[in-house]
DNA sequence: CCTTATGTTCAATATTTTTTGAACAAGCGG
DNA sequence: CCGCTTGTTCAAAAAATATTGAACATAAGG
């Protein structure tokens, strides 16, 4: 029952993607998803004490077309749309992930 | 007499660069500078009717480390720090510039 | 000098984005 | 059915960004 909306990759705009990636919290989430290379539950992406904050940032990432979220039981599994993003904006995600992690990155 | 401050390329942070690039007005300026491949005066980068707006966005770009500004007579010449940015964040600028221009881009 | 052309700065607004807390939803295990 | 876990939504507050207009700075040309 996929009721969670995701944009078509062709409808994704560059500036929206850049805005999504420009926030350190979200960049850290994207890094973690990239390193994992698989779906991760929300609970594995942030501190339980800041659930609504995480929920907000995950929505921004999803609506920007960077991630895909799927409900599984009572949790939600999030993954990076790496291949799609790379086909839409070749090299962009790789370049961002290649940059070294900065101390300000946090979740 | 270089009194205009510019960040060292090594001090430039990824999220600052992404924030700077995420605004359509600034992205359009960066594109124009990239296509020109040389210095351009402010007057060639925006509408004269919105001078202070342009000034603001150029300052954001400069402080983010994306551009270099140099005074020449009564005008200021702006250029893209392409090579430096590419050494700091390999492939990033190229990937951004490779993405097709969107209709929302404007100055 | 005086004037014009380029741009900047400052302060006030307006707008957008983030953060928070309270309330809600839905699945799961007992 | 109950209570617990996971996570969302909503509205309010806080914080960060962007836009505007008035005033200023400085170089160049006459």
């Amino acid at each position: 029952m996929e009721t969670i909306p995701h944009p078509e990759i062709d409808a994704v705009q560059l500036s929206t993607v850049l805005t999504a990636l420009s926030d350190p919290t979200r960049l850290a989430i994207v890094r973690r998803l990239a390193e994992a290379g698989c779906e991760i539950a929300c609970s594995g992406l942030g501190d339980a004490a800041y659930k609504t904050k995480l929920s907000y940032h995950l929505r921004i990432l999803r609506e920007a077309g960077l991630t895909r979220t799927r409900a599984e039981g009572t949790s939600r599994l999030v993954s990076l749309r790496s291949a799609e993003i790379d086909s839409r904006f070749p090299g962009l995600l790789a370049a961002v992930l290649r940059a070294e992690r900065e101390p300000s990155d946090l979740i």
Side-chain angles (χ1 to χ4, degrees), chain A:
Chain A
M1 231 156 277
E2 173 77 20
T3 180
I4 305 169
H6 292 83
E8 297 287 335
I9 197 63
D10 290 333
V12 170
Q13 283 192 268
L14 178 62
S15 57
T16 308
V17 168
L18 293 176
T19 299
L21 292 173
S22 70
D23 179 85
T25 299
R26 292 190 293 258
L27 194 50
I29 292 172
V30 168
R31 274 194 215 287
R32 190 174 296 197
L33 288 170
E35 283 162 13
C38 63
E39 295 175 314
I40 298 186
C42 298
S43 57
L45 290 172
D47 190 323
Y50 301 96
K51 287 194 305 183
T52 101
K53 188 177 167 188
L54 180 62
S55 194
Y56 168 73
H57 286 297
L58 287 178
R59 183 165 63 78
I60 300 289
L61 287 171
R62 173 165 43 78
E63 290 178 352
L66 281 164
T67 59
R68 189 169 293 283
T69 302
R70 159 174 96 79
E72 176 81 14
T74 179
S75 48
R76 284 181 174 212
L77 300 178
V78 183
S79 57
L80 199 58
R81 296 173 68 174
S82 319
E84 289 173 283
I85 293 294
D86 193 63
S87 79
R88 179 88 174 88
F89 301 118
L92 179 61
L93 199 50
V96 167
L97 294 171
R98 193 180 304 130
E100 88 277 20
R101 184 186 292 268
E102 281 154 32
S104 63
D105 291 3
L106 50 87
I107 300 185

